[in-house]
Amino acid sequence: MPMSLGSAFIKNFLGKAPDWYKVAIIAFLIINPIVFFLINPFVAGWLLVAEFIFTLAMALKCYPLQPGGLLAIEAVAIGMTSPEQVKHELVANIEVLLLLVFMVAGIYFMKHLLLFIFTKILLGIRSKAILSIAFCVAAAFLSAFLDALTVIAVIISVAVGFYSIYHKVASGRPFNQPHDHTQDEQIPELTRDDLENYRAFLRSLLMHAGVGTALGGVTTMVGEPQNLIIADQAGWFFGEFLVRMAPVTLPVFICGIATCFLVEKFKVFGYGAKLPPNVRKILIDFDTEERKTRTKQDVAKLWIQGLIALWLILGLAMHLAAVGLIGLSVIIMATAFTGVIEEHSLGKAFEEALPFTALLAVFFSIVAVIIDQGLFKPIIDAVLHIQDNETQLALFYIANGLLSMVSDNVFVGTVYINEVKTAMMEGVISRDQFDLLAVAINTGTNLPSVATPNGQAAFLFLLTSALAPLIRLSYGRMVIMALPYTVVLTLVGLAGIIYLVEPMTAQFYDLGWITHHSVPHMESVVSSGH
């Protein structure tokens, strides 16, 4: 029986997504205007946030851009936010968007060097626990000076390379044949256990690295975008920021690394999978084959990529230009000096990042709704009116953590630092209390937010990457694997805020490591809409 036009429309809507998922999205689109106009705009705003998180959680069923984008378009259409506010959010976060467009593509052209280095590391460290700690510490160190998204893009590129090597061999193809991810189900049954164990092995390394970006990113003023905003409003420079955060970040880092070791040692929460012997042999054979067939041109390319990697690290650490522009320079140099000059060869590098860039633009549309509907205002007002200083510090940390789990860290940190600075200018709190609250805001936006992929941009990028479905890394699995880190980082951070920050800050004053500041001039900052 021929398909009717109506059935064709239904079939085309969201393609191969399950029927129940299609019905859910249609229901959301019908319910939202009803709630917004007839019940309460505030409730409708929180409902939209919950629906968007649902689309992220179902990323393996349907890429979130399409359903999330439909929800965002409807939100603008019915007046939950305006195109101007969405544009404001995009302009305020232009550096993040440029980073994704150019930096991730730049990493693509350095994959041979990355694969060369990480293959040596993977084959050289036999202990899974030590290997996991190495990935976590390396990601933390790099994220303290570079951007977390850049670091996770490197790790994803490496993991894709490792997965491709194994899959080619398991599918009966030579190393030098192009890889096709769509052929997963052709893997011989004899290799199925190896494949599942290998997926688990890669999942755990990626999650350790992802958490590492949070451990390192919280420590310095350049580690995360909101850190820079907070430091600017507090009048802190690099050294002072590092010292003021140390009472929280140092114990959190130590406990985070201990957690990494323990989850691997006791094989809990999806960790503990080791590199299967068959896969190790494949990687060793690959490394041997690469060494045998490496030409002078290949060696020259590795040297060029090494020099570009050095420029990348120096450029980012010294902030010689916007991250995205440094990424563009990497693309230009890496292609010019390795002979990649065809347009279609350049285009492949942008395939991974552009869908996520579009998704992030949709995400900022949801942030615009949060601003226009004042969804966080009741929480902010309640915390600001707490009189007891210690209680206020703890509640600021907790409130920032909870809100950062569902929203943009930069937005949450910016709104709170603005509100706290206003309170200081009006004489509600002292300058010393402002400094302590700034520490609580920074650590609160960075640490508890590892709980969910939407809490950390690096996690969200990993979830929506082409690698995630290959290694079966879903939203739910990420939340479960992040759980031990979430509990440890959140509780240790809270203990640091309550018991260590105030007394150690007083000691830092006595030692002359930090200085008392006068009340600064009130300035508005980006992304808050205030």
Side-chain angles (χ1 to χ4, degrees):
M1 183 177 177
M3 183 183 295
S4 67
L5 188 59
S7 298
F9 276 118
I10 295 171
K11 193 78 173 175
N12 286 341
F13 179 67
L14 298 183
K16 295 180 180 178
D19 290 341
W20 63 264
Y21 184 88
K22 297 180 181 183
V23 171
I25 298 301
I26 292 171
F28 294 161
L29 293 170
I30 294 172
I31 291 170
N32 288 346
I34 296 172
V35 175
F36 181 72
F37 290 114
L38 301 181
I39 299 177
N40 187 294
F42 185 83
V43 173
W46 274 110
L47 184 63
L48 179 71
V49 171
E51 291 164 356
F52 185 72
I53 292 173
F54 169 81
T55 66
L56 297 178
M58 295 291 111
L60 295 186
K61 300 292 183 184
C62 176
Y63 191 74
L65 173 63
Q66 292 81 8
L70 289 173
L71 293 171
I73 290 170
E74 182 185 64
V76 174
I78 64 178
M80 296 178 80
T81 188
S82 65
E84 290 74 21
Q85 185 64 47
V86 174
K87 180 185 175 183
H88 171 78
E89 290 302 309
L90 293 175
V91 170
N93 291 279
I94 188 63
E95 287 202 20
V96 179
L97 297 174
L98 286 177
L99 181 156
L100 286 167
V101 172
F102 295 125
M103 183 61 78
V104 177
I107 297 301
Y108 175 89
F109 291 111
M110 297 177 63
K111 60 185 178 182
H112 294 297
L113 174 68
L114 295 171
L115 198 56
F116 172 79
I117 294 171
F118 279 90
T119 299
K120 300 297 183 187
I121 294 172
L122 197 68
L123 298 177
I125 302 177
R126 300 298 291 259
S127 168
K128 174 63 187 309
I130 294 175
L131 182 64
S132 299
I133 291 172
F135 266 71
C136 191
V137 171
F141 178 77
L142 290 172
S143 294
F145 300 98
L146 312 182
D147 186 272
L149 280 171
T150 303
V151 176
I152 207 68
V154 169
I155 303 297
I156 289 172
S157 179
V158 168
V160 168
F162 284 149
Y163 185 88
S164 300
I165 293 164
Y166 168 75
H167 194 234
K168 285 176 186 176
V169 174
S171 302
R173 297 195 297 276
F175 288 125
N176 59 358
Q177 184 174 326
H179 179 57
D180 181 5
H181 291 319
T182 63
Q183 303 298 316
D184 272 1
E185 301 310 318
Q186 294 181 9
I187 297 174
E189 199 60 41
L190 289 174
T191 68
R192 182 61 59 183
D193 288 342
D194 285 338
L195 175 61
E196 293 306 321
N197 290 332
Y198 191 36
R199 282 170 171 163
F201 173 81
L202 291 177
R203 280 198 302 268
S204 61
L205 288 184
L206 283 162
M207 287 300 294
H208 289 313
V211 172
T213 63
L215 291 173
V218 69
T219 58
T220 66
M221 64 182 284
V222 298
E224 294 284 352
Q226 68 269 23
N227 301 19
L228 202 56
I229 293 167
I230 291 166
D232 180 61
Q233 291 302 294
W236 300 339
F237 293 105
F238 190 94
E240 183 169 358
F241 186 98
L242 186 71
V243 170
R244 284 186 178 274
M245 297 299 156
V248 180
T249 58
L250 192 57
V252 162
F253 179 80
I254 293 169
C255 293
I257 299 304
T259 304
C260 177
F261 176 79
L262 291 173
V263 293
E264 286 294 339
K265 184 73 174 175
F266 294 102
K267 300 181 179 181
V268 291
F269 295 98
Y271 295 101
K274 295 183 178 180
L275 183 63
N278 289 342
V279 180
R280 176 177 287 277
K281 184 177 184 308
I282 289 171
L283 293 177
I284 291 172
D285 291 345
F286 167 78
D287 189 44
T288 304
E289 182 70 18
E290 283 285 290
R291 194 166 56 250
K292 286 180 181 177
T293 59
R294 191 171 290 130
T295 65
K296 293 291 185 184
Q297 269 189 297
D298 294 329
V299 174
K301 288 178 181 179
L302 290 176
W303 275 104
I304 287 293
Q305 290 178 14
L307 292 172
I308 293 170
L310 187 62
W311 149 246
L312 174 64
I313 293 170
L314 289 175
L316 290 174
M318 298 175 67
H319 292 270
L320 299 179
V323 179
L325 296 182
I326 293 175
L328 179 58
S329 72
V330 168
I331 294 173
I332 293 168
M333 290 189 288
T335 53
F337 289 102
T338 58
V340 180
I341 56 173
E342 296 84 8
E343 185 180 2
H344 69 275
S345 299
L346 288 168
K348 292 178 182 176
F350 294 89
E351 290 177 1
E352 177 71 16
L354 285 182
F356 183 72
T357 307
L359 175 62
L360 206 61
V362 170
F363 179 71
F364 289 135
S365 302
I366 305 300
V367 171
V369 172
I370 292 173
I371 293 170
D372 281 351
Q373 299 304 319
L375 301 188
F376 291 173
K377 191 169 179 9
I379 302 172
I380 294 170
D381 289 345
V383 174
L384 272 174
H385 284 85
I386 299 295
Q387 297 299 314
D388 181 68
N389 285 357
E390 285 189 3
T391 304
Q392 191 179 59
L393 274 177
L395 288 177
F396 257 84
Y397 174 84
I398 293 169
N400 274 267
L402 291 173
L403 295 178
S404 292
M405 290 179 188
V406 300
S407 182
D408 174 33
N409 296 21
V410 180
F411 164 68
V412 175
T414 302
V415 168
Y416 265 98
I417 200 66
N418 264 343
E419 296 291 343
V420 170
K421 194 162 187 178
T422 301
M424 179 184 63
M425 298 297 293
E426 293 174 352
V428 177
I429 59 173
S430 66
R431 170 69 211 217
D432 285 345
Q433 181 67 4
F434 167 84
D435 288 336
L436 296 174
L437 288 173
V439 175
I441 292 168
N442 183 68
T443 52
T445 54
N446 279 292
L447 298 175
S449 58
V450 301
T452 64
N454 38 300
Q456 287 276 345
F459 279 16
L460 186 60
F461 184 39
L462 174 57
L463 174 68
T464 57
S465 69
L467 179 64
L470 297 178
I471 61 174
R472 306 299 187 262
L473 186 59
S474 64
Y475 188 102
R477 182 168 264 160
M478 287 187 80
V479 170
I480 292 170
M481 294 184 76
L483 184 59
Y485 282 113
T486 303
V487 173
V488 171
L489 268 56
T490 301
L491 294 182
V492 174
L494 181 60
I497 289 293
I498 295 173
Y499 300 111
L500 297 178
V501 169
E502 195 164 4
M504 289 191 71
T505 299
Q507 289 185 19
F508 294 152
Y509 282 130
D510 294 339
L511 292 168
W513 292 359
I514 55 177
T515 58
H516 288 278
H517 295 271
S518 59
V519 176
H521 177 65
M522 184 63 189
E523 295 174 355
S524 61
V525 292
V526 298
S527 190
S528 67
H530 288 203

Coordinates of all heavy atoms in Angstrom, one line a residue, residues 19 21 181 220 280 319 354 495 528 530:
D19 N 9.6 6.5 17.5 CA 8.3 7.2 17.4 C 7.9 7.8 18.8 O 7.4 8.9 18.8 CB 7.2 6.2 17.1 CG 7.3 5.7 15.6 OD1 8.0 6.4 14.8 OD2 6.7 4.7 15.2
Y21 N 9.9 9.1 20.8 CA 10.7 10.4 21.0 C 10.0 11.5 20.1 O 10.0 12.6 20.6 CB 12.1 10.1 20.5 CG 13.0 11.3 20.7 CD1 13.8 11.5 21.8 CD2 13.3 12.2 19.6 CE1 14.6 12.5 22.0 CE2 14.1 13.2 19.8 CZ 14.8 13.4 20.9 OH 15.7 14.5 21.1
H181 N 33.0 4.3 9.9 CA 32.4 4.1 11.2 C 31.1 3.3 11.0 O 30.6 2.7 12.0 CB 32.1 5.4 11.9 CG 33.4 6.0 12.4 ND1 34.4 5.4 12.9 CD2 33.7 7.4 12.4 CE1 35.4 6.2 13.2 NE2 35.0 7.4 12.9
T220 N 43.2 28.3 37.9 CA 43.8 29.6 37.4 C 42.8 30.5 36.8 O 41.7 30.0 36.4 CB 44.9 29.3 36.4 OG1 44.3 28.7 35.2 CG2 46.0 28.3 37.0
R280 N 45.9 -4.7 22.3 CA 47.3 -4.2 22.5 C 48.2 -4.7 21.4 O 49.1 -4.0 20.9 CB 47.8 -4.8 23.9 CG 49.3 -4.4 24.1 CD 49.7 -4.9 25.5 NE 49.2 -4.0 26.5 CZ 49.7 -2.8 26.9 NH1 50.8 -2.4 26.3 NH2 49.1 -2.1 27.8
H319 N 48.3 34.0 26.1 CA 47.1 34.7 25.6 C 47.6 35.8 24.6 O 47.2 36.9 24.7 CB 46.4 35.4 26.8 CG 45.7 34.3 27.7 ND1 44.4 33.9 27.5 CD2 46.2 33.6 28.7 CE1 44.1 33.0 28.4 NE2 45.2 32.8 29.1
L354 N 31.4 21.7 13.7 CA 30.4 22.7 13.3 C 29.0 22.2 13.9 O 28.2 23.1 14.3 CB 30.3 22.8 11.8 CG 31.4 23.7 11.3 CD1 31.3 23.9 9.8 CD2 31.4 25.1 11.9
A495 N 33.8 21.5 52.0 CA 34.6 21.5 53.2 C 35.6 22.6 53.1 O 35.9 23.3 54.1 CB 35.2 20.1 53.4
S528 N 25.7 38.6 31.2 CA 24.7 38.6 32.3 C 23.4 39.1 31.9 O 22.4 38.7 32.5 CB 25.3 39.4 33.5 OG 25.3 40.8 33.2
H530 N 22.5 41.9 32.6 CA 22.1 42.9 33.7 C 22.8 44.2 33.4 O 24.0 44.2 33.1 CB 22.5 42.3 35.0 CG 21.7 41.2 35.5 ND1 21.5 40.8 36.8 CD2 21.0 40.3 34.8 CE1 20.8 39.8 36.9 NE2 20.4 39.4 35.7

